[in-house]
Amino acid sequence: MSKPWVPAVLATLGGLLHSASLAPGGAWWMQLLALALLVHAVSTAKAVRAALLGWLFGVVWLTSSLWWVFISMHRYGNMPAWAATLATAALGAGLALYYSIATGGWAIIRRRVGAPPIAFAAFWLLAELARGTFFSGFPWAAGGYAHTSGPLMRWAPWAGVYGISLLSAWVAAALTCAWAARSSGTAAAVRTLAAPLLALLLGFMLPQHFTRSSGQLSVTLLQPNVEQQEKFTDRGIERILRWHQDALAASRGTLVVTPESSIPLASEELDPELKSTLSAPFADGRRTALVGIFVGDEQAGYSNALVGLTDRNGLADPLGYRYGKRHLLPFGEYVPSGFDWFVAMMNIPIGQQVPGANASSLAVANQRVRPLICYEDLFGEDFVESVVGEAAATVLVNASNFAWFGSWRPRHFEFSQAQHQHLQVSRLRAMEFQRPVLRASNTGATTAIDHKGQVKARLPSNVEGRLEITVDGRVGATPYAVWLSLWGLWPLVALALAGLIAAAAGSAIRGKQCEAGQPLETATGG
C-alpha cells in the first residue's frame, strides 16, 4: 500500500461494514468482506501498526454496534451526556483490545516465519473467545451472528457461533491472500482458497437433523410496552399490576410468558390478595405462566426472576417454581469491584442483584421449558446442560426488557438496534441446539423462533399486545451441544492453538508470507 493512510481507512470501513453485517438488515457476505478489508489493511504492517489497525477496526465495529448503551446510561440512568458518551466509547475501545492483540500477534508470526490464512483465523477465534469469557464475558455482536443465513449457517449445530467465527475469518483471510497471490498465477490463488472453500462445501454435506418432535405446546407471549421512565413510578406500577391481571386472564396458551421484570417489585412485597388474583387463571393446574418479577429481600439480596404460576403455587406459594437470572450484567445488575463510583452516577433501580440458583426446566403439559433472562442466551455454554440428557428441555424461553435501550426515532422512522441484535442471537441459539426459542419482551422483539432458527411469528415492536402461537418442542442433541456439554469451549481453544502451530510449521518450511504486493504462491491452504 503506497499511501500510509490507506490501511487506516480500510480498517475503519471494515469496522463499519462488520457492524452493518449484523441485524437489522445485515448480510453474511458483508461480514466476510469486512474481515477481508482488515486482513488487507494489516497484511504488510509490522506488529505495532497491525495491532493499532486491529484496534481501530474493533473500536469502529463495537462502538457502532453497541451505541445503544448510551441510551440506557443517559436517558434512563440520568448520567450526563458527556459521561455516557465517554463510557460508551471506553466500552468499545476496551473490547477492541482483544482484536488488537489478535492482529498484532498475526503480524509477529507472519513476519518471522510467514503465516497462512488459518493463522489469522486462529488469532481471531482466540480474540472472540476471550471477549466472550473474560471478566464475565460480553460477546454481543460477535461476527458469527451475521451467519444466521448463508452457507456457514449449516455449521451451527456442529461448531456453534465461535466455530462459525473461525470459519468466516479463515475464508475472508484466504480470499485476501488469494487476491494477493494472483501475480504468481491462478494455481497459487487456487491453492490458497482450496482448504477454506472445502470447509464451506463440507457444510452442505453435513447432516442437519439431530432432534425430533416432542409434541406441540400452545403459548401466549405478552408484550406490555411500558415506558422505562414510567415503570418504577407509583402510577406506572399501578397500571402494570392492572395490566397483568387482565392480560393473564385473557391469555389462552397452556404456557403464558411475560417479559423480564414485567412486575417491577419483589414477589414478597405483593399483597396476598393480588397474588391470588394473578394466580387464579392457573389454579386448576392445566396451564402455567412464567412471570417476570424480583424475588428476595434487602438482607439476602434481590434476584431477577421468572416465577411459575400453576396449581396455587408461584406468587401465592413460596414453594412454586422460580428461576433466578444466573449470568448478571455488569454495571446494570451487579457492580464490579472498584466501580461503585461509576454506578453511583446512574439511577438504576435494584442495580445490585444476586444470581439465581435454579437452573432446572419447568414441566408444562408434555414439554420441558428452560427459562433464560435477557442476555443470558448469549452464553450457550452456560446452559447447554439443559439441552442434553434424558431430562433435556424441549423449549427455550427468553424474557427480556429492551425498553432500557430505547430506540432512535428520526421523524417517522423507528430503529431499535438492540432488539434486532438480540433476536439474531436467539435465532443462532435455536440453530445450535435445534430447539424452538420463545421471546417475550417488554417493547420487542416478542417472537416465536422454530428449531431451524426461522422466525415463525412476531409482534410489532413498541406496541402493546400478545402473541398466541403453537410451537413444536424438540428432543435430541446436536453434535455441538454434546461436545460443549462435555468440554465447554476448550476444544475451540485447542483448535486455534493447533492451527497456529500447524501454520507456523508449514510456513517455516515454505518460507513465504501473506503480504499484498508480494508473490504469494505459498500462502496456501492452511
Side-chain angles (χ1 to χ4, degrees):
M1 299 180 189
S2 57
K3 298 180 180 179
W5 52 266
V6 171
V9 171
L10 291 177
T12 301
L13 290 175
L16 289 172
L17 190 61
H18 202 278
S19 178
S21 71
L22 301 165
W28 61 269
W29 58 266
M30 295 169 64
Q31 196 263 344
L32 297 181
L33 180 56
L35 287 182
L37 289 174
L38 175 62
V39 173
H40 188 64
V42 303
S43 60
T44 59
K46 293 182 179 180
V48 173
R49 184 170 176 78
L52 288 173
L53 290 169
W55 180 78
L56 176 61
F57 177 95
V59 168
V60 174
W61 154 34
L62 294 168
T63 304
S64 60
S65 297
L66 302 171
W67 66 270
W68 39 263
V69 301
F70 169 89
I71 299 173
S72 64
M73 290 186 288
H74 174 55
R75 186 188 301 176
Y76 302 119
N78 297 317
M79 179 180 284
W82 65 266
T85 300
L86 288 178
T88 303
L91 175 63
L95 295 175
L97 290 174
Y98 294 115
Y99 305 96
S100 174
I101 295 171
T103 52
W106 186 56
I108 291 173
I109 288 184
R110 191 194 70 242
R111 295 189 71 84
R112 289 184 178 178
V113 297
I118 190 61
F120 174 83
F123 274 116
W124 194 259
L125 172 60
L126 291 173
E128 291 273 65
L129 289 171
R131 180 162 73 94
T133 54
F134 289 175
F135 309 111
S136 86
F138 194 67
W140 197 283
Y145 289 116
H147 296 275
T148 48
S149 61
L152 288 177
M153 65 179 285
R154 296 181 63 84
W155 282 93
W158 290 85
V161 64
Y162 292 118
I164 291 174
S165 291
L166 169 70
L167 289 168
S168 66
W170 190 14
V171 171
L175 289 170
T176 305
C177 291
W179 176 258
R182 70 192 187 283
S183 60
S184 299
T186 303
V190 170
R191 285 198 301 271
T192 302
L193 287 170
L197 290 183
L198 182 62
L200 282 180
L201 292 175
L202 179 60
F204 289 99
M205 295 182 284
L206 291 173
Q208 294 291 303
H209 304 292
F210 302 102
T211 61
R212 64 187 185 280
S213 174
S214 61
Q216 293 189 323
L217 178 68
S218 64
V219 180
T220 302
L221 303 176
L222 299 179
Q223 182 172 290
N225 193 41
V226 177
E227 286 286 343
Q228 195 62 35
Q229 299 100 320
E230 180 187 8
K231 188 171 181 179
F232 290 92
T233 65
D234 291 341
R235 179 181 176 183
I237 291 173
E238 182 180 350
R239 178 203 154 192
I240 288 168
L241 293 177
R242 233 181 6 252
W243 184 89
H244 276 77
Q245 294 178 59
D246 296 340
L248 291 173
S251 298
R252 301 191 301 272
T254 303
L255 172 66
V256 182
V257 186
T258 80
E260 172 190 16
S261 64
S262 61
I263 297 179
L265 298 170
S267 173
E268 292 76 5
E269 297 172 356
L270 292 186
D271 180 78
E273 184 177 346
L274 176 60
K275 291 181 181 182
S276 297
T277 301
L278 293 172
S279 302
F282 311 96
D284 62 5
R286 291 181 295 180
R287 301 170 62 234
T288 299
L290 281 171
V291 176
I293 195 169
F294 293 99
V295 297
D297 53 44
E298 290 189 7
Q299 287 70 37
Y302 292 101
S303 179
N304 188 356
L306 286 170
V307 172
L309 307 186
T310 182
D311 194 19
R312 298 183 303 279
N313 287 329
L315 293 174
D317 185 342
L319 299 179
Y321 177 87
R322 295 186 176 189
Y323 172 78
K325 187 174 183 180
R326 304 168 70 200
H327 201 127
L328 302 182
L329 179 68
F331 305 107
E333 293 170 330
Y334 81 93
V335 183
S337 178
F339 283 91
D340 302 73
W341 61 272
F342 177 78
V343 177
M345 298 177 69
M346 295 183 285
N347 181 26
I348 297 179
I350 318 182
Q352 182 72 301
Q353 300 172 19
V354 295
N358 182 22
S360 64
S361 298
L362 171 67
V364 182
N366 59 337
Q367 305 295 330
R368 292 182 295 274
V369 176
R370 173 59 157 94
L372 297 162
I373 298 179
C374 200
Y375 96 136
E376 279 190 313
D377 65 353
L378 270 82
F379 304 92
E381 62 274 16
D382 282 1
F383 63 89
V384 64
E385 74 280 355
S386 300
V387 294
V388 294
E390 294 182 1
T394 58
V395 178
L396 301 177
V397 169
N398 183 281
S400 60
N401 175 24
F402 281 90
W404 274 111
F405 308 112
S407 54
W408 181 40
R409 296 185 178 96
R411 300 195 176 210
H412 304 294
F413 180 65
E414 181 76 34
F415 183 66
S416 304
Q417 186 188 33
Q419 291 183 18
H420 296 285
Q421 290 174 343
H422 197 212
L423 174 58
Q424 197 170 41
V425 169
S426 297
R427 289 183 60 199
L428 196 52
R429 289 296 89 77
M431 295 161 65
E432 288 173 344
F433 300 135
Q434 292 192 351
R435 294 290 192 279
V437 177
L438 305 175
R439 295 172 43 84
S441 187
N442 180 18
T443 54
T446 297
T447 317
I449 305 167
D450 70 11
H451 68 285
K452 299 178 183 178
Q454 301 303 306
V455 174
K456 306 306 291 184
R458 177 179 179 178
L459 285 178
S461 295
N462 305 301
V463 299
E464 178 185 327
R466 68 177 187 265
L467 185 61
E468 305 276 1
I469 40 95
T470 299
V471 299
D472 190 36
R474 308 291 293 186
V475 293
T478 63
Y480 175 64
V482 171
W483 67 254
L484 186 66
S485 66
L486 292 173
W487 304 301
L489 296 171
W490 287 108
L492 291 172
V493 176
L495 182 62
L497 295 177
L500 289 176
I501 293 171
S507 295
I509 294 173
R510 294 189 296 265
K512 299 288 184 178
Q513 302 179 41
C514 175
E515 293 192 4
Q518 281 191 316
L520 291 178
E521 55 186 355
T522 60
T524 61

